[in-house]
Amino acid sequence: LGTLLSHEPRQPIAEVRRIAREVADALAFAHGRGVIHRDVKPDNVLLDRETGRATVTDFGIAQAIEAGARLTLTGIAVGTPAYMSPEQATGEREVDGRSDVYSLGVVAYQMLTGRTPFNAGNSMALLVKHCTERPLPIVELRPDAPPALCAAIERAMAKAPEDRWPSAAAFRDALDDHAASPAPWRAEV
């Protein structure tokens, strides 16, 4: 997916839905077995050359944590800064599947808009933005995107885990829902 996005930054809406659903489905499977990926990003999503089917790869961080390796200490962020959830960015020791939902939301945002929601000159500044700034609403960057799809993705990127979809399966289902709940910061508007 990373290679595809480097050549075609904005993907067709149907492809965004399909790829994001397939990744969410894979994450739901992993989460159901107690495994949190912790590094969901385009480079960790492989697309089958013939079918286009998305496969989530590189569970290296998740496997190391499951094995008890000391990859995380309080205050140390583990993952890829452009796609990290706020709780990862602040070095929370315990993250759950909603962290992967956030990261997949960032990937879906990027597929729809052609850019990641935040850019900064260094990793620390980027992590701060994930914790404190709201991304531009998708509709401002991709006016043809269906409102329910935008709402589903934006809710996935809510700052507080409790404001996101409660699971990757719920996010997967919302990607096709035509009446998805709006993101918390959009609900007030």
Side-chain angles (χ1 to χ4, degrees):
L1 181 59
T3 301
L4 175 64
L5 294 177
S6 70
H7 293 92
E8 300 172 43
R10 282 178 41 155
Q11 293 298 299
I13 290 167
E15 281 296 284
V16 174
R17 273 191 212 274
R18 182 187 65 76
I19 292 169
R21 277 185 52 84
E22 290 174 359
V23 172
D25 197 42
L27 292 173
F29 182 85
H31 296 165
R33 281 137 188 87
V35 177
I36 309 305
H37 191 284
R38 292 179 171 86
D39 197 21
V40 176
K41 60 185 178 182
D43 288 341
N44 286 341
V45 176
L46 299 181
L47 301 175
D48 184 272
R49 194 177 306 259
E50 292 179 21
T51 65
R53 180 152 176 79
T55 304
V56 179
T57 64
D58 197 1
F59 279 82
I61 293 174
Q63 289 173 346
I65 290 172
E66 291 297 316
R70 290 192 56 119
L71 282 180
T72 58
L73 298 171
T74 302
I76 304 296
V78 176
T80 302
Y83 302 92
M84 264 189 205
S85 67
E87 58 272 26
Q88 281 181 286
T90 59
E92 293 287 327
R93 181 177 285 278
E94 298 297 323
V95 299
D96 61 25
R98 296 171 296 179
S99 179
D100 286 347
V101 167
Y102 180 94
S103 298
L104 178 54
V106 173
V107 172
Y109 183 103
Q110 180 180 3
M111 287 191 292
L112 263 184
T113 66
R115 56 174 263 193
T116 55
F118 306 110
N119 292 300
N122 61 61
S123 294
M124 186 56 70
L126 189 56
L127 296 176
V128 168
K129 287 183 177 195
H130 276 287
C131 294
T132 62
E133 291 186 14
R134 293 180 182 165
L136 281 175
I138 293 169
V139 70
E140 290 184 25
L141 300 169
R142 183 83 183 255
D144 64 324
L149 178 61
C150 295
I153 293 168
E154 290 169 349
R155 179 174 173 185
M157 295 189 310
K159 300 299 179 200
E162 61 272 11
D163 291 336
R164 294 181 206 138
W165 297 104
S167 67
F171 183 32
R172 175 198 62 215
D173 294 344
L175 289 165
D176 280 334
D177 187 357
H178 297 290
S181 301
W185 69 88
R186 300 281 302 274
E188 302 164 2
V189 177

